[in-house]
Amino acid sequence: MKKKVLAAVLSFCMIVSMIPATAFAVVYQPITIYTNEYYYDKGDTARISWYYGGTEEPAYYTLYMDDNPVQTWIYGRTTTYTLRTPGNHTFKVEAYGYDYSTGKYKFMGQSDTVTVSVGESYDEPEITTDLPSTKRVNSGENAKFDIVIYNPDGVEVTWEFYENTRTGHSSTKLDSGKVYTGGSISSAFKANIDDNGNGYYFKVSYVDKQGTVRNLYSQSCTLTVNSSVDTPSISISPSYTNAYVGNSITLSANARSYDGGHLTYQWYFGTNSSFSYATAIVGATSATYSGYAPATAGTYYYFCEVTNTLNGQSASDWAKSTVSVGTIAPTPTAGSMNNFRAVNTYYPGLFVDVKSTDWFAGSVQTAYQIDLIKGYSTPQGYAFQPDGSFTVAEALAVACRLHSIYYTGSAGFNQGAVWYQVYVDYAIANGIIKNGDFVNYTLNCTRAQMAYIFAHSLPSNEFGAVKSVTSIPDVNAATPYSAEIYTLYNAGVLTGSDAKGTFNPYSNIKRSEVAAIISRVAIPNTRVY
């Protein structure tokens, strides 16, 4: 391999100690010693020079390396010396003149020392792993280019990365940097269709031992950019299954694209085997669908449409699963979360004021299906009133339904003249609330009161902690029902109203918020972990 040393000049000077005036008839000046470089390799020759400013030329000079004399000259102020031992070495020069009064040579002074470093060897940088001649990526993906350089002596290497366009072959610098050791040099950018067919290469520059700038060039790599978007392949597992009315069902879409595009999912439901008649299921946008079989026996069809998107282009396909729903429902188990199953059929547009894009739409669907919440008849149609208030009586009604379904599998209650009295009596009898907790059940329910009521709707073991919340910004020991609030936070039922987890305990709760909370109470896998 070639060699290179950083060229440099070191100069050290020392005022020569004055010899007594009686010894010489000359004026002494400083001796300054130079070396043209301070890094060498074993076997290199160092050029050493010095300057003596006196009016009388010394009779001879002696060069010392590491305080040992190595050369003597009668005339001249420069010499060369071959360096054969690695390590740090010092050089100095001593001057001697002839004293005619004594007939002897006398010491006239010495220079300061210069230090040079001698290495075992010197290797110039080189490219040891080059670019491939071609590279293929998909549009929108990162095109990454790497070369590996060998640079054991740690010289400064400047690199530049260029695009060589196919038209006109003009080059544009895209990236640059410096390195001081060997290893990988990388550059990357997001490829698009305009980059197809262009060439890319690295230019590596360094200064060699003689001070000359040297350039190395990698091989040029031609980039091929795929512009088409693959239609995803998709299947649903299981493709056919049996279920009972109201039972939970789980379907999984197995989808794949071969161009690295982004896959998105949307599940549909229909009573006809044709996809064109199916209706989108609110909130069902993941690869797995978990829901409830319809409340009426029959044959139903679930479709999953998968869309592959790449660089603004998309392609879609769908697959179908057939679900045969029987009329024999399982016998409820006393005290089981499995008792929460669909008994009401929900369809998009059931509530005139709930759109499929609303954040609470999926929760409203779940709460309605498992018979926890109902709507209102209005002149505009059947409505949910998501922004409407929620009274203490309504909170007790929901809590009693949760409790009854959990223990009996049914939420049947016979209302009297005061519609909520049956729920008040049931709640007190079953320990959901205590007699005297509330004076007026028709008042709006606060968020803290809601937490208190819902936290006692199921046994405490059904609210096992899934996370550790030890601090809520606006809830402390003095906050009413703080224990129940923390229980629901740690169970993943409550999440707060902002990124800090603020609860707003004294604010009235809205029906849309209630739908989200009771869905998490009844369906543990929807809780926030």
Side-chain angles (χ1 to χ4, degrees):
M1 292 189 180
K2 298 178 181 179
K3 299 181 176 180
K4 170 186 177 298
V5 172
L6 294 175
V9 177
L10 295 179
S11 63
F12 297 77
C13 65
M14 172 182 180
I15 299 178
V16 180
S17 302
M18 298 298 295
I19 305 297
T22 55
F24 301 97
V26 293
V27 177
Y28 300 103
Q29 297 292 328
I31 299 177
T32 304
I33 187 171
Y34 304 91
T35 179
N36 64 320
E37 297 172 356
Y38 60 92
Y39 286 114
Y40 293 90
D41 293 319
K42 184 173 65 175
D44 284 350
T45 298
R47 180 180 178 83
I48 301 168
S49 303
W50 58 91
Y51 172 76
Y52 176 71
T55 57
E56 296 290 338
E57 183 69 34
Y60 66 90
Y61 299 95
T62 299
L63 175 70
Y64 288 81
M65 184 181 78
D66 299 332
D67 294 324
N68 298 310
V70 291
Q71 286 184 0
T72 299
W73 299 267
I74 297 177
Y75 299 108
R77 296 179 183 174
T78 184
T79 187
T80 57
Y81 187 78
T82 302
L83 303 166
R84 303 189 183 281
T85 307
N88 292 326
H89 300 284
T90 59
F91 287 90
K92 65 181 178 181
V93 171
E94 290 185 350
Y96 293 85
Y98 186 75
D99 187 347
Y100 288 95
S101 64
T102 63
K104 297 180 180 180
Y105 290 96
K106 295 291 185 179
F107 173 72
M108 296 177 66
Q110 73 176 30
S111 71
D112 201 348
T113 61
V114 293
T115 301
V116 298
S117 179
V118 181
E120 287 287 352
S121 62
Y122 176 77
D123 293 308
E124 290 186 353
E126 64 174 310
I127 298 173
T128 55
T129 301
D130 211 338
L131 291 177
S133 58
T134 61
K135 177 183 284 286
R136 180 183 295 272
V137 298
N138 296 313
S139 182
E141 291 181 337
N142 272 351
K144 189 169 181 289
F145 298 83
D146 304 273
I147 61 172
V148 177
I149 62 166
Y150 177 77
N151 184 24
D153 288 339
V155 300
E156 180 182 272
V157 170
T158 300
W159 62 269
E160 296 172 327
F161 181 63
Y162 287 89
E163 174 187 36
N164 186 276
T165 57
R166 190 170 45 179
T167 7
H169 302 289
S170 58
S171 293
T172 303
K173 185 168 71 173
L174 302 180
D175 201 358
S176 63
K178 292 182 179 181
V179 293
Y180 297 90
T181 59
S184 177
I185 294 175
S186 301
S187 188
F189 60 89
K190 181 176 285 189
N192 59 56
I193 199 63
D194 295 333
D195 300 313
N196 191 39
N198 293 345
Y200 298 87
Y201 64 92
F202 285 93
K203 173 185 175 183
V204 176
S205 304
Y206 65 94
V207 180
D208 71 7
K209 188 174 180 180
Q210 287 72 41
T212 303
V213 176
R214 302 290 183 184
N215 295 319
L216 302 173
Y217 294 89
S218 73
Q219 174 176 261
S220 180
C221 177
T222 301
L223 186 64
T224 300
V225 182
N226 299 325
S227 60
S228 61
V229 179
D230 288 339
T231 299
S233 62
I234 175 175
S235 62
I236 296 179
S237 177
S239 60
Y240 180 90
T241 188
N242 293 308
Y244 292 113
V245 291
N247 274 15
S248 62
I249 57 173
T250 299
L251 304 172
S252 296
N254 307 305
R256 183 178 179 184
S257 71
Y258 297 91
D259 57 6
H262 177 63
L263 298 180
T264 54
Y265 302 81
Q266 176 61 60
W267 289 84
Y268 293 79
F269 170 78
T271 57
N272 188 297
S273 61
S274 172
F275 179 51
S276 59
Y277 293 98
T279 304
I281 300 173
V282 176
T285 56
S286 64
T288 299
Y289 168 70
S290 294
Y292 294 98
T296 306
T299 300
Y300 301 91
Y301 305 93
Y302 291 81
F303 305 84
C304 185
E305 183 179 37
V306 180
T307 301
N308 179 32
T309 302
L310 181 66
N311 196 32
Q313 304 175 58
S314 62
S316 301
D317 200 3
W318 55 268
K320 176 180 67 178
S321 178
T322 303
V323 179
S324 179
V325 179
T327 57
I328 303 174
T331 302
T333 302
S336 173
M337 298 298 285
N338 292 329
N339 292 342
F340 292 102
R341 60 187 184 86
V343 295
N344 298 318
T345 300
Y346 183 92
Y347 52 87
L350 173 68
F351 295 114
V352 295
D353 51 0
V354 176
K355 300 188 295 294
S356 61
T357 53
D358 290 333
W359 70 267
F360 49 82
S363 299
V364 171
Q365 175 176 334
T366 298
Y368 178 82
Q369 284 180 307
I370 59 180
D371 207 22
L372 292 179
I373 202 165
K374 304 182 185 299
Y376 299 91
S377 295
T378 70
Q380 292 75 33
Y382 196 49
F384 180 69
Q385 298 180 352
D387 292 325
S389 59
F390 206 67
T391 66
V392 173
E394 290 173 315
L396 288 176
V398 170
C400 291
R401 291 173 191 145
L402 282 164
H403 187 277
S404 180
I405 293 172
Y406 179 80
Y407 283 104
T408 71
S410 172
F413 288 90
N414 295 317
Q415 298 176 5
V418 179
W419 74 267
Y420 57 81
Q421 190 62 49
V422 63
Y423 299 112
V424 173
D425 295 340
Y426 183 95
I428 293 173
N430 289 278
I432 297 174
I433 63 172
K434 294 188 290 291
N435 193 15
D437 278 344
F438 301 96
V439 177
N440 187 343
Y441 297 103
T442 64
L443 295 178
N444 288 338
C445 186
T446 67
R447 293 171 62 84
Q449 290 170 333
M450 173 274 304
Y452 169 66
I453 294 171
F454 289 170
H456 294 285
S457 63
L458 298 178
S460 59
N461 62 289
E462 299 296 355
F463 294 110
V466 297
K467 51 188 176 181
S468 179
V469 177
T470 58
S471 177
I472 301 172
D474 54 354
V475 177
N476 55 44
T479 305
Y481 314 120
S482 61
E484 286 80 4
I485 294 170
Y486 272 94
T487 292
L488 296 185
Y489 263 80
N490 283 301
V493 173
L494 297 179
T495 59
S497 57
D498 57 25
K500 297 178 181 179
T502 304
F503 182 60
N504 299 317
Y506 304 105
S507 298
N508 293 335
I509 193 161
K510 295 190 293 186
R511 288 175 57 82
S512 58
E513 296 170 325
V514 170
I517 293 168
I518 61 177
S519 295
R520 295 187 201 122
V521 171
I523 314 298
N525 64 9
T526 63
R527 295 178 185 178
V528 181
Y529 289 79

